[in-house]
Amino acid sequence: MKPRLAVPLLLALLALTFLASLAFGELRLSFGQVLGALTNGTDEVARTVVRDFRLPRALVGLAVGAALGASGVVMQAFFRNPLASPGLLGVSSGGALGAVAVLATGPIFGFAAATMWALPLASVVGAFAATGMVLMLAQRGAGTERLLLSGVALNALLGAGTSFLLTTTAGHFEVNAQILFWLMGGLESRSWEHVWMGVPAILVACLLLLPLGRAMDLLSLGEQSAQSLGVDVRRLRRQLIVLSTVLTALATAVAGIVGFVGLVVPHVLRLAFGPDHRRLLPYSMLGGASFLLACDLVTRTFPLGLRLGVVTALIGGPFFLWLLRRPR
């Protein structure tokens, strides 16, 4: 597909999914009612539903999808592996462990009930601690292979910690349900506080990432080749790890663990529009946002108790396998 078609196509898809996320739900609204609620419409019910409930949920979903899409591009360029994903360095697992620790100790200390910032802050701290541990384990100046192995080991360790905390809350059904909610991701009950908590910082991190597309192209040729072409590889690696960690940590902090977006979306768009990271980064932000909003629509349209992380895997997995089986 021609790259010049990508931006209008992805923008149209994003606009459609965004409007649909404002229109569909328990109370179905027409697109005219949605547009009226966003401007100066007189339908009070539509204004309340759209402005107070669906608009913040859609904005959080848009930001989380863009963050995971961009982070996936970074990880795949960093490891020069299309199967890399934002959780590869243990960022998502660290964020989950931080949030679960706050929830599991809730009956004793009551951190989660004290302030709505407790869970997101614990998640961000956990994500950054995990990244710091990977970098420490891999030692300064280590190659991507050592970082990758460190991330795999840390993911297993953090997963074990999360499972242990989950078992300690077996007698507290409400806490257990909250932990499961967090581990499977979701956009339910996202409010304007969650928007201010995550969206501006995600936007800034995405904007900081865009100018690095050319250097990421050179890095995909190999570290020595990139260095010979004038790229400060060590600095670039630090920038990519920090920005990817920020994006993944913030996405996890406001929506829990949502897998598959960072793996599938960049890969699909790379197959469709080519590997140039200067284009792939913005394409994956737009594509990730549309994909997550579409998956969220599925969770609220079908009354099966589906969680967002389950839907992303159910939709993304078969589509990804179909793409891999296509003759090139």
Side-chain angles (χ1 to χ4, degrees), residues 37-67:
L38 292 175
T39 52
N40 291 319
T42 57
D43 188 338
E44 287 295 332
V45 174
R47 287 180 61 180
T48 302
V49 169
V50 170
R51 293 189 181 188
D52 294 348
F53 298 101
R54 293 184 185 171
L55 185 56
R57 177 174 179 162
L59 289 173
V60 170
L62 187 153
V64 168

Side-chain angles (χ1 to χ4, degrees), residues 245-264:
T245 300
V246 168
L247 289 170
T248 308
L250 289 170
T252 306
V254 294
I257 294 182
V258 182
F260 240 87
V261 181
L263 172 63
V264 172

Side-chain angles (χ1 to χ4, degrees), residues 1-17 269 273 279 282-283 286-287 290:
M1 193 176 294
K2 294 179 180 178
R4 62 187 173 85
L5 299 176
V7 171
L9 185 64
L10 291 170
L11 282 176
L13 186 62
L14 181 60
L16 182 64
T17 52
L269 293 172
F273 301 112
R279 297 194 183 102
Y283 293 174
L286 295 172
S290 302

Side-chain angles (χ1 to χ4, degrees), residues 259-260 291 295 298 306-319:
F260 240 87
F291 180 67
C295 290
V298 174
L306 288 173
R307 304 292 310 152
L308 184 59
V310 176
V311 175
T312 57
L314 287 175
I315 294 177
F319 186 57

Side-chain angles (χ1 to χ4, degrees), residues 262-279:
L263 172 63
V264 172
V265 172
H267 198 71
V268 170
L269 293 172
R270 186 182 293 108
L271 289 174
F273 301 112
D276 187 335
H277 289 92
R278 290 170 296 182
R279 297 194 183 102

